[in-house]
Amino acid sequence: MMQRKGTTPTTFDLFADDTRQSSTSEQIGPRSFVFRGFALPLIDRLLPSLESVLTRAPFRNMVTPGGHTMSVALSSCGQFGWTTDRSGYQYTRIDPQTGQPWPEMPEVFMELARAAADAAGFADFVPDACLINRYIPGAKMSLHQDKDERGYEWPVVSVSLGIPAMFLFGGHARSDTTQRVPLFHGDVVVWGGEDRLRFHGVMPVKQAEHPQLGEQRINFTFRKAR
Ligand code: MD3
Ligand code: FE
């Protein structure tokens, strides 16, 4: 297993009774953990659920308040969805594109988010929003903070699927140095506590093809918006 600077990999069994599957975790901040391959045991349930959500709330490229069209396409599920337009960022109960409530959060999504939060020491996480980001090669997300949620006592849980990406994890000021964390299909990351408001972003995704998802990276972020 590759040892990366500033991380401490430890190995644990995903299933105590199944020695074929194991995963590693890396601590990337005081309250932030990468769980390699954590989503893989659920993948056969996650992908059909994702399809069903996307049928009801298709990906769209939203416009930022500054007037730029995002290279990352977005959707959401759960009680709240995240939107942006010329008037600003906000969580809404209704998808402005369909006029319908955002699709319900699939049970397997909730299960995964809760299990990952639990593994990082955040018991009883009940997310009410799941943002779904789609990166095609070249798409990126500039350094930003996630602060449209009402409070910051709950973590953000992120799930990476498809082609890899280089995640940038900064500090509390935009100018702070960033650590680069490669994220692969099935990796789950949890950020909470003092790390919850750290700047972060995603470098332009490199051209690649994933056997199940093709030329795209899909990322879920589970949050407690209200
Ligand atoms: C660190 N998404 O949707 S997930 C986002 O891969 C977002 O699509 C990226 O940043 C993606 O807002 C990164 C990782 C992430 C999400 C929330 C965080 C990292 C975070 C909140 C605080 C600190
Ligand atoms: Fe973010």
Side-chain angles (χ1 to χ4, degrees), residues 133 135 141 144 146 156 191 196 200 202 217 219 223:
N133 296 326
Y135 297 74
M141 196 172 282
H144 67 278
D146 288 15
V156 172
W191 290 266
R196 176 63 181 75
H200 58 277
V202 177
R217 168 177 188 260
N219 180 82
R223 302 122 188 277

Side-chain angles (χ1 to χ4, degrees), residues 69-115:
T69 299
M70 295 178 70
S71 60
V72 177
L74 266 83
S75 183
S76 289
C77 63
Q79 279 173 266
F80 297 96
W82 187 86
T83 65
T84 173
D85 61 20
R86 287 309 301 252
S87 68
Y89 309 120
Q90 60 175 326
Y91 280 100
T92 65
R93 288 182 179 277
I94 302 292
D95 176 352
Q97 184 167 289
T98 63
Q100 296 295 121
W102 294 102
E104 206 181 315
M105 197 183 298
E107 213 164 83
V108 61
F109 281 34
M110 183 67 81
E111 250 176 68
L112 176 57
R114 288 178 61 84

Side-chain angles (χ1 to χ4, degrees), residues 13 18 35 45 69 84 101 214:
D13 289 328
D18 184 347
F35 299 109
R45 293 169 59 207
T69 299
T84 173

Side-chain angles (χ1 to χ4, degrees), residues 42-73:
L42 294 174
I43 199 73
D44 290 347
R45 293 169 59 207
L46 285 169
L47 295 182
S49 297
L50 171 64
E51 282 310 312
S52 155
V53 165
L54 292 174
T55 303
R56 288 170 285 157
F59 281 124
R60 76 292 305 264
N61 292 88
M62 296 185 191
V63 176
T64 64
H68 298 283
T69 299
M70 295 178 70
S71 60
V72 177

